[in-house]
Amino acid sequence: MKCKSSNFNKVENPKPNIVVIYADDLGYGDLSSYGATELITPNIDRIANEGIRFTNGYATSPTCTPSRFSMLSGIYPFRSQRAKILPGNAPLLFDIGKQTLPSMLKDAGYFTGVVGKWHLGLGDENMNWNEDIKPGPLEIGFDYSYIMASTNDRVPSVYVKNHNIDGLDPKDPISVSYRSNFEGEPTGKENPELLKVHPSHGHNRSIHNGISRIGYMKGGKSALFIDEDMSDDFLRESKNFINNHKDTPFFLFYSLHQPHVPRIPHPRFVGKSGLGPRGDVILEADWAVGEFLNELEKLGIAENTIVIFSSDNGPVLDDGYHDESETKIGKHTPRGGLRGGKYSLFDAGTHVPFMVRWPSKIKPSVSDALVCQIDLTASLASLVGQQNTTPDSENILDALTGISKEGRQNLLLGQNNITSFIKGNYVLIPPHKGPKRVNKWVKNETGRDRNMQLYNLKEDRSQQNNLADKNPEKVAAMIRELEIIKNNNK
């Protein structure tokens, strides 16, 4: 689909700094700016209240790797068979040489950095973690990276700074396997007495910091992260980044790990929410965002810094560990009245908090425009005078800056052949085989059904009234449009 032209004047010098703050598994109803009453998130709310809070903001997929891939690549996840939840030792997901959000901004003169969760693959099929770890973020357009090697529940439990594990002692090399354990290494399955957090399903292999993970790991003791310190580590690196580059335009992808499992808050936040560790780590993330925003103010660059906040997919309670997420949820509703959640084709899988703040240009408001993270490359390219060459990113800069209340006309969601399609107020979920629930632990509905599903999201936010049988012409038209998008692989 052709990108719309923007009425927004091309940015004058100095170019705005750009920061994307990206939460992990945060639901539409997890923030007080989106209606939460049991969790109060004043710092993230600052972005919403001082900028534009979007009521129809979307990730492209109900799981993290595909959403992150599409946001940075401008490519719908279904176009890549590998765009699914990756193991911790997966090779880099991106095709080197294709335009990405960071490479586009780098071409525009920005210094680009990523701090936090990555989960987009590193290296190649035969990577040795003790040598240079590449290709990775630096090969797709980032100038600097300080990232978790995979996810906090997968080995290796280390940070990677640019091309190397941070703090690794060459005398104690690290070994990683997703096939078999290393001799003499304890596991959560065989040594539960060593655990401070117990798995509910999976997550029962190598133990580090009293927590068993997915996969096997040995060695590298000096480099292993401490879960309780992870939020502070990423905040420190993000603040260092903006301090080091405050005098030139910068782009920072500040990728939070909260509230992904294992949910291990710093002792400062333990018990603060009353909702168990999941609520505590959301408050921890909110505090970190506040500290970061304060640093922008302190440096005198907040006025001309665009801050975009969103989440990679919707919420989940039990996602692999016994952490009281279900027993202490109380009256809190992470879905915010939507149906489904993480892993789901229903709306709560991809309908997430989405807000944009740019004090010198954007007036505070609430917008119902349909906006998606995949459109950041095309929209920001228009802003900074670059050409977008990604296949699926659309220029919705006017919506993102509040000039227009109109965003996307349609949006294809999902991964591989498991998709749904939004057009106007309607969402179409084609027939899909599979279970109604993810499993007996992850109780989220999958949205899969052998029957066609059509819902009016404006009138039926909780998707209780299937209109497919009563609207065969609309169903047929949406299927035709969905197929055109799928087959239009530029």
Side-chain angles (χ1 to χ4, degrees):
M1 179 173 289
K2 293 182 178 180
C3 294
K4 295 175 287 188
S5 62
S6 173
N7 294 319
F8 200 88
N9 293 330
K10 294 297 183 292
V11 66
E12 315 111 13
N13 286 326
K15 294 177 180 176
N17 305 306
I18 300 168
V19 178
V20 174
I21 305 178
Y22 209 46
D24 194 353
D25 296 351
L26 189 77
Y28 188 83
D30 274 327
L31 303 176
S32 42
S33 50
Y34 279 83
T37 56
E38 308 304 301
L39 275 178
I40 306 302
T41 52
N43 298 296
I44 298 173
D45 292 353
R46 281 170 57 189
I47 305 172
N49 296 334
E50 296 170 8
I52 303 175
R53 177 172 64 84
F54 290 95
T55 63
N56 284 307
Y58 283 82
T60 56
S61 171
T63 56
C64 61
T65 296
S67 293
R68 292 162 186 272
F69 169 74
S70 64
M71 183 179 73
L72 294 178
S73 70
I75 299 171
Y76 273 132
F78 74 84
R79 299 201 194 280
S80 171
Q81 290 299 311
R82 291 186 55 230
K84 54 189 176 183
I85 299 176
L86 293 178
N89 60 347
L92 183 70
L93 182 55
F94 297 84
D95 292 329
I96 304 297
K98 288 189 176 180
Q99 187 184 60
T100 62
L101 175 60
S103 73
M104 180 276 293
L105 290 170
K106 185 174 182 176
D107 288 344
Y110 281 73
F111 193 91
T112 58
V114 54
V115 172
K117 178 175 175 175
W118 180 243
H119 205 188
L120 290 163
L122 289 169
D124 55 28
E125 298 285 354
N126 302 306
M127 186 178 65
N128 183 341
W129 288 94
N130 302 286
E131 299 176 351
D132 281 356
I133 299 169
K134 60 181 182 182
L138 303 192
E139 282 66 46
I140 69 159
F142 286 106
D143 293 305
Y144 176 80
S145 70
Y146 192 91
I147 57 173
M148 200 189 317
S150 177
T151 67
N152 37 336
D153 62 341
R154 287 172 174 79
V155 301
S157 302
V158 296
Y159 300 139
V160 177
K161 183 176 182 180
N162 294 326
H163 285 147
N164 300 102
I165 290 178
D166 190 31
L168 183 66
D169 182 352
K171 296 179 182 179
D172 180 29
I174 193 167
S175 300
V176 177
S177 174
Y178 274 74
R179 294 182 178 178
S180 58
N181 194 18
F182 300 98
E183 185 176 355
E185 291 296 309
T187 67
K189 183 177 181 179
E190 297 172 347
N191 306 94
E193 73 280 0
L194 299 179
L195 301 178
K196 61 185 180 184
V197 178
H198 291 264
S200 58
H201 59 285
H203 303 84
N204 62 358
R205 296 180 176 175
S206 280
I207 300 172
H208 160 56
N209 192 32
I211 304 159
S212 51
R213 322 275 170 160
I214 299 172
Y216 302 102
M217 175 180 66
K218 180 180 181 179
K221 299 297 184 183
S222 64
L224 300 182
F225 59 63
I226 301 300
D227 301 76
E228 289 87 344
D229 294 334
M230 187 175 289
S231 181
D232 289 348
D233 292 341
F234 292 157
L235 174 61
R236 179 195 68 241
E237 290 296 322
S238 296
K239 290 169 67 174
N240 287 345
F241 180 88
I242 62 174
N243 272 272
N244 291 339
H245 304 287
K246 64 182 183 297
D247 297 325
T248 56
F250 62 76
F251 164 60
L252 174 63
F253 178 29
Y254 179 13
S255 184
L256 307 173
H257 68 289
Q258 300 105 326
H260 194 277
V261 296
R263 298 155 181 150
I264 312 294
H266 190 277
R268 301 192 309 271
F269 298 95
V270 172
K272 294 298 184 182
S273 70
L275 302 180
R278 185 177 185 276
D280 294 345
V281 299
I282 291 175
L283 296 187
E284 177 183 59
D286 181 70
W287 175 85
V289 169
E291 291 296 296
F292 181 82
L293 296 177
N294 290 343
E295 194 73 10
L296 292 175
E297 299 280 355
K298 175 183 171 184
L299 295 174
I301 57 176
E303 284 293 307
N304 199 36
T305 297
I306 300 171
V307 176
I308 301 166
F309 180 94
S310 196
S311 176
D312 61 357
N313 51 248
V316 62
L317 296 181
D318 184 341
D319 205 23
Y321 293 92
H322 292 296
D323 64 0
E324 304 176 305
S325 58
E326 293 181 318
T327 58
K328 288 193 173 182
I329 189 66
K331 297 179 181 179
H332 182 58
T333 55
R335 293 192 298 266
L338 308 178
R339 186 175 181 182
K342 185 178 181 179
Y343 310 111
S344 179
L345 287 166
F346 288 129
D347 204 37
T350 49
H351 193 162
V352 291
F354 196 123
M355 54 190 81
V356 181
R357 187 186 84 159
W358 186 7
S360 67
K361 296 287 185 180
I362 291 177
K363 296 180 180 179
S365 64
V366 177
S367 175
D368 297 331
L370 179 62
V371 296
C372 182
Q373 298 158 9
I374 198 173
D375 296 324
L376 294 186
T377 299
S379 302
L380 294 174
S382 174
L383 177 68
V384 300
Q386 294 293 301
Q387 182 181 1
N388 168 56
T389 62
T390 67
D392 299 309
S393 188
E394 295 186 15
N395 179 10
I396 56 168
L397 181 62
D398 285 350
L400 294 178
T401 52
I403 290 175
S404 173
K405 294 292 186 181
E406 182 179 332
R408 273 183 163 259
Q409 298 303 304
N410 57 51
L411 180 60
L412 200 156
L413 302 166
Q415 61 206 59
N416 297 337
N417 291 316
I418 306 169
T419 56
S420 61
F421 183 61
I422 292 178
K423 172 78 172 180
N425 294 327
Y426 290 86
V427 61
L428 180 79
I429 306 177
H432 292 96
K433 297 179 181 178
K436 298 287 188 181
R437 302 273 176 179
V438 177
N439 56 41
K440 69 178 182 179
W441 301 280
V442 183
K443 299 180 178 66
N444 286 352
E445 293 181 279
T446 64
R448 298 188 185 196
D449 198 293
R450 292 180 179 271
N451 298 313
M452 187 73 69
Q453 298 177 77
L454 178 72
Y455 300 97
N456 185 322
L457 293 174
K458 185 175 182 179
E459 298 177 357
D460 180 23
R461 292 180 76 246
S462 59
Q463 293 177 279
Q464 299 300 307
N465 186 17
N466 185 359
L467 304 172
D469 289 344
K470 297 179 181 179
N471 295 272
E473 292 183 359
K474 177 173 284 293
V475 167
M478 291 182 72
I479 289 175
R480 285 195 299 271
E481 193 164 354
L482 183 156
E483 291 301 321
I484 289 172
I485 294 171
K486 278 191 171 185
N487 294 326
N488 182 21
N489 190 3
K490 291 182 280 186

